[in-house]
Amino acid sequence: MDKLRITGGNRLSGEVTISGAKNAALPILCATLLTAEPVVLRNVPALNDIHTTLKVLGQLGVNIQWLEEGVVQLQANQINSYEAPYELVKTMRASILVLGPLLARFGQAKVSLPGGCAIGQRPVDQHIKGLATLGADIRVEHGFVLAKASRLQGASIHTDMVTVGGTEQFLMSAALAKGTTILENAAREPEVVDLAELLIAMGAKISGHGTDRIVIEGVEQLHGADYRVVPDRIEAGTFLCAVGATGGDILLRNAAPATMGAILDKLEESGLDLETGPDWIRASMSGRPRAVGIKTFEHPGFPTDMQAQIMALDTIANGTAVIVENIFENRFMHVPELIRMGADIELDGHTAVVNGVSQLFGAKVMATDLRASASLVIAALAASGETIIDRIYHLDRGYEQMEVKLKGLGAQIERLRG
């Protein structure tokens, strides 16, 4: 099992190119099931989750060709299976997103209940209720979601909670449904907007994406498209936290600052000096960061996917920060590992109180989920001495060649193959 060895204390400087957003690319890949024509996707990150999704699609019969680095063509004109098996779906929660496209285009689907990071319950009951509202005959048996429909019918869907995956599922399903579908309480994340824009490029009729009310006028069929995935705001935020923790001056290229409002606001509050353009961010930090409190909320609030990284920054900040996690109940699993490195953190349910210390120290630590692993990398870069981070397969699910990018910025980091 691979590990990372990091010797902390180096300031970061130079340029780094941000990859395409994993959380946008995954549903976008699934959306290619909605047409028989080829879809070319650009700025696709080379991540484990991407490769898993491509395996799922390949097993269904999708023809997949990498045209060049970051550019993949998919064509679902010879689908020979409507089943996404447990062996593939168990490793990644987003696999459930093949359910709606298969159902909408082919009238049937059998998808294993998913797995993914152990950061708390993320039930698919909202997906099932919404698809049933669109007219699907849907049930759960023996660990599979089984769904059938002659053709989905437009309807009004109001989810019990804001659900990114549910909104994406319904966007794809309703694109080919008969009539009008209205999504109330819809997720507003940039990744949802990106999926909607891809569907529009394929011929879907969608309005209101980016708000909590999305209207989809169903069409008979969709066509191919050539589309570029939005840059990853979470990867960009992670690198900004890294320069905030270590000091230095970096330029992020292929970034999307327009999608990062809450993240950039908090980082500026921490003392990071930021300049932005349409597709770049310049960040510099001198001295010790200031403690910043956050409460995670759905977009446009502060994203839960950046909570662990901000906490790592707060561990060495001047002052005390209160961090409230409102999205996932188990998303403080990085706290014991940060404490092993000398952090002063007190937990009380969904709240963490972080008392900044002047210095962290290298230690052997273990990644427990994707964003927790990123927080440990940030802490290790700022720490005195050597840190070994185990179970970095979590990191590889969401960050493309992170150690290579960090090394290019001056970090002392290497992958230990195991």
Side-chain angles (χ1 to χ4, degrees), residues 77-247:
N77 61 338
Q78 294 182 335
I79 297 300
N80 52 34
S81 171
Y82 308 108
E83 178 178 336
Y86 173 73
E87 290 70 29
L88 290 175
V89 176
K90 68 179 180 181
T91 62
M92 194 187 61
R93 177 158 200 87
S95 303
I96 194 70
L97 293 177
V98 302
L99 177 63
L102 285 173
L103 183 61
R105 184 166 161 223
F106 301 104
Q108 60 180 304
K110 181 180 180 182
V111 180
S112 173
L113 291 170
C117 279
I119 57 172
Q121 293 191 6
R122 295 190 278 187
V124 298
D125 64 317
Q126 298 300 306
H127 297 238
I128 292 169
K129 281 192 211 172
L131 292 173
T133 302
L134 293 175
D137 176 12
I138 189 165
R139 63 191 190 278
V140 178
E141 287 183 1
H142 308 296
F144 280 89
V145 180
L146 307 171
K148 288 187 177 180
S150 54
R151 186 182 180 188
L152 296 175
Q153 303 291 315
S156 179
I157 300 175
H158 191 295
T159 53
D160 297 337
M161 64 194 75
V162 177
T163 162
V164 172
T167 302
E168 293 165 344
Q169 189 85 269
F170 308 143
L171 271 173
M172 293 186 284
S173 305
L176 292 179
K178 183 178 180 180
T180 302
T181 298
I182 299 173
L183 305 183
E184 304 279 6
N185 202 27
R188 295 182 280 172
E189 271 70 6
E191 296 79 15
V192 172
V193 174
D194 209 36
L195 172 63
E197 290 294 332
L198 175 273
L199 292 171
I200 291 169
M202 294 170 65
K205 295 181 178 179
I206 300 170
S207 61
H209 45 300
T211 76
D212 61 2
R213 187 178 189 270
I214 304 176
V215 179
I216 307 109
E217 302 282 350
V219 298
E220 289 289 334
Q221 62 182 24
L222 297 177
H223 53 70
D226 188 320
Y227 191 79
R228 184 176 181 83
V229 175
V230 70
D232 195 322
R233 63 193 173 111
I234 304 302
E235 184 192 17
T238 300
F239 277 97
L240 294 177
C241 284
V243 76
T246 63

Side-chain angles (χ1 to χ4, degrees), residues 122-417:
R122 295 190 278 187
V124 298
D125 64 317
Q126 298 300 306
H127 297 238
I128 292 169
K129 281 192 211 172
L131 292 173
T133 302
L134 293 175
D137 176 12
I138 189 165
R139 63 191 190 278
V140 178
E141 287 183 1
H142 308 296
F144 280 89
V145 180
L146 307 171
K148 288 187 177 180
S150 54
R151 186 182 180 188
L152 296 175
Q153 303 291 315
S156 179
I157 300 175
H158 191 295
T159 53
D160 297 337
M161 64 194 75
V162 177
T163 162
V164 172
T167 302
E168 293 165 344
Q169 189 85 269
F170 308 143
L171 271 173
M172 293 186 284
S173 305
L176 292 179
K178 183 178 180 180
T180 302
T181 298
I182 299 173
L183 305 183
E184 304 279 6
N185 202 27
R188 295 182 280 172
E189 271 70 6
E191 296 79 15
V192 172
V193 174
D194 209 36
L195 172 63
E197 290 294 332
L198 175 273
L199 292 171
I200 291 169
M202 294 170 65
K205 295 181 178 179
I206 300 170
S207 61
H209 45 300
T211 76
D212 61 2
R213 187 178 189 270
I214 304 176
V215 179
I216 307 109
E217 302 282 350
V219 298
E220 289 289 334
Q221 62 182 24
L222 297 177
H223 53 70
D226 188 320
Y227 191 79
R228 184 176 181 83
V229 175
V230 70
D232 195 322
R233 63 193 173 111
I234 304 302
E235 184 192 17
T238 300
F239 277 97
L240 294 177
C241 284
V243 76
T246 63
D249 188 330
I250 64 172
L251 177 65
L252 308 186
R253 297 207 177 273
N254 188 43
T259 68
M260 297 177 63
I263 300 171
L264 298 182
D265 287 349
K266 283 297 177 181
L267 288 171
E268 281 194 312
E269 190 181 324
S270 78
L272 205 60
D273 185 23
L274 295 174
E275 297 175 58
T276 62
D279 60 356
W280 57 269
I281 303 172
R282 179 81 178 264
S284 61
M285 175 67 105
S286 58
R288 192 173 167 191
R290 294 188 293 270
V292 289
I294 59 166
K295 295 181 180 180
T296 63
F297 286 109
E298 296 86 0
H299 194 79
F302 193 89
T304 181
D305 278 355
M306 279 298 303
Q307 176 256 106
Q309 299 92 308
I310 284 287
M311 184 182 289
L313 182 61
D314 278 333
T315 62
I316 56 163
N318 188 12
T320 296
V322 177
I323 295 177
V324 181
E325 175 56 61
N326 290 308
I327 307 297
F328 293 126
E329 68 271 19
N330 289 341
R331 207 160 207 174
F332 282 146
M333 292 191 292
H334 45 283
V335 169
E337 304 304 301
L338 291 172
I339 291 173
R340 284 177 56 80
M341 300 178 69
D344 181 357
I345 306 171
E346 302 166 23
L347 282 182
D348 182 9
H350 294 278
T351 301
V353 178
V354 185
N355 301 301
V357 297
S358 59
Q359 183 69 67
L360 296 176
F361 301 94
K364 290 184 178 180
V365 293
M366 181 178 69
T368 52
D369 63 68
L370 170 54
R371 305 308 173 185
S373 60
S375 75
L376 297 179
V377 170
I378 293 166
L381 291 171
S384 171
E386 181 181 278
T387 298
I388 303 291
I389 304 175
D390 200 356
R391 295 175 65 180
I392 61 165
Y393 61 84
H394 289 294
L395 193 75
D396 294 336
R397 289 185 49 231
Y399 292 93
E400 185 175 25
Q401 295 188 313
M402 189 182 218
E403 75 276 14
V404 175
K405 292 182 178 182
L406 284 169
K407 189 175 289 187
L409 295 173
Q412 194 171 335
I413 179 172
E414 64 176 321
R415 179 178 291 254
L416 306 176
R417 303 285 179 180

